[in-house]
Amino acid sequence: MVQDIVINGLINGSIYALLAIGFSLIFGVARIVNIAHTAFYMVAAYFIYIGLHHLGMAPVLAMLLSVVAITLIGLVCYKVFIDPIREHEAAVLIATIALAMAMQEAMLIAFGGHYLGVPPLITGYATIAGVKVTYQHLLALGVVLIVLVLIWAFLMKTNLGLAIRSTAQDREVANLMGMNVARVAMLTMAVSVMLAAIGGAVVVPLYVLDPHMWMHPLIMILAVVVLGGLGSLKGSFVGAYILGFAEALVVFLVPMGAFLKGSVALSIMIVVLLIRPEGLFGVAFEEER
């Protein structure tokens, strides 16, 4: 059971980290709480299903095209629905909720409420520490870890990454230093949505597809970013693995744990907020210091 918990915690934590880092990026740079973040993840999964079952594409090609298409759709949604009201945080929050619900309803109209599936890219399993783990789960874990390393390198080693980190730290100073904050925000939105789409491509062979599949990951990444500290990439990474392992513990050790994992994640978030309101790695707001 210990090995099961470790392996499942690693897989869940890695997927939550991928989604939470994208969520934190756009919040840190543009102060946008993008409730539609996991809706893009859901639509990416459906696009892959369309590519495989309706267009007859090869799986890898369908996944790559889905990531590109969702990134472009995310940019269009940003320019049309978010950018005009970006300075009004409450309006942005309402707009992203409406956008997420519109995506859900579009998938319901197109596919109904049926559960759909995509076959795994590779079959078979490996035995690790006495636990049978499918090659598909290992592939998903490997892809996510590679993407996390690449996004770290992008943020730390490139000029655009420096601009994103500078803007997230202080938008006014970044603007005074000559950075185009609006352009940086748009590019950050593209990176954020791309990470959500990659998450959808990773999980589509592992989970069943349904139009409500975006809700549980949304609850988890909200808990993750609050636990780690709003806008903190390090906090999102650490918080994702904390809640990933907590979820695995609940599922394996608690009766009916699969129905309680969301409640446990939110309980951990509430406890941390009571003890440290800014999260594990967040910084207290100036007016609170």
Side-chain angles (χ1 to χ4, degrees):
M1 186 178 292
V2 173
Q3 294 94 319
D4 280 326
I5 291 170
V6 170
I7 291 169
N8 281 275
L10 276 173
I11 293 171
N12 292 337
S14 297
I15 293 171
Y16 293 148
L18 188 64
L19 293 172
I21 286 172
F23 187 92
S24 292
L25 271 176
I26 192 61
F27 176 81
V29 171
R31 295 296 183 268
I32 293 172
V33 180
N34 184 15
I35 300 300
H37 187 67
T38 52
F40 288 115
Y41 148 97
M42 178 260 300
V43 175
Y46 271 101
F47 275 17
I48 293 168
Y49 176 85
I50 293 170
L52 290 177
H53 292 275
H54 295 279
L55 302 178
M57 294 181 181
V60 175
L61 177 61
M63 290 176 179
L64 290 174
L65 291 179
S66 173
V67 170
V68 172
I70 293 299
T71 303
L72 294 175
I73 290 172
L75 283 174
V76 171
C77 291
Y78 174 80
K79 291 298 293 182
V80 173
F81 298 108
I82 298 174
D83 191 45
I85 55 173
R86 186 162 61 90
E87 299 303 322
H88 305 281
E89 296 178 6
V92 170
L93 179 63
I94 294 169
T96 58
I97 292 172
L99 187 59
M101 296 304 298
M103 292 184 192
Q104 174 186 294
E105 294 306 310
M107 295 303 105
L108 275 169
I109 292 171
F111 299 96
H114 307 295
Y115 293 106
L116 305 173
V118 169
L121 297 180
I122 52 176
T123 57
Y125 62 87
T127 303
I128 302 174
V131 178
K132 293 180 179 178
V133 185
T134 66
Y135 288 132
Q136 184 61 53
H137 281 84
L138 292 176
L139 177 63
L141 177 60
V143 169
V144 171
L145 292 178
I146 290 170
V147 172
L148 290 174
V149 170
L150 290 175
I151 198 67
W152 175 86
F154 166 74
L155 291 171
M156 297 299 172
K157 304 296 182 181
T158 67
N159 290 334
L160 179 56
L162 175 62
I164 289 173
R165 289 187 291 117
S166 301
T167 307
Q169 187 172 8
D170 195 315
R171 280 188 294 174
E172 291 183 4
V173 172
N175 193 43
L176 291 173
M177 294 298 291
M179 296 181 188
N180 188 334
V181 174
R183 181 172 174 269
V184 170
M186 186 177 70
L187 293 173
T188 305
M189 183 68 178
V191 173
S192 172
V193 173
M194 181 184 68
L195 291 176
I198 292 172
V202 166
V203 304
V204 69
L206 303 178
Y207 302 148
V208 294
L209 305 185
D210 76 276
H212 302 95
M213 65 181 288
W214 62 280
M215 290 185 177
H216 176 68
L218 176 65
I219 293 170
M220 294 302 294
I221 66 169
L222 288 174
V224 164
V225 297
V226 173
L227 172 63
L230 283 172
S232 169
L233 299 184
K234 178 182 178 181
S236 295
F237 184 81
V238 174
Y241 282 100
I242 290 174
L243 292 188
F245 280 103
E247 185 178 86
L249 282 168
V250 171
V251 169
F252 281 97
L253 298 180
V254 178
M256 306 294 286
F259 299 98
L260 299 174
K261 56 187 181 182
S263 302
V264 170
L266 294 177
S267 300
I268 293 173
M269 179 189 72
I270 291 169
V271 170
V272 171
L273 286 177
L274 291 174
I275 299 171
R276 185 177 169 84
E278 65 271 21
L280 296 177
F281 296 96
V283 178
F285 293 108
E286 185 65 36
E287 61 269 21
E288 295 175 353
R289 288 204 287 262

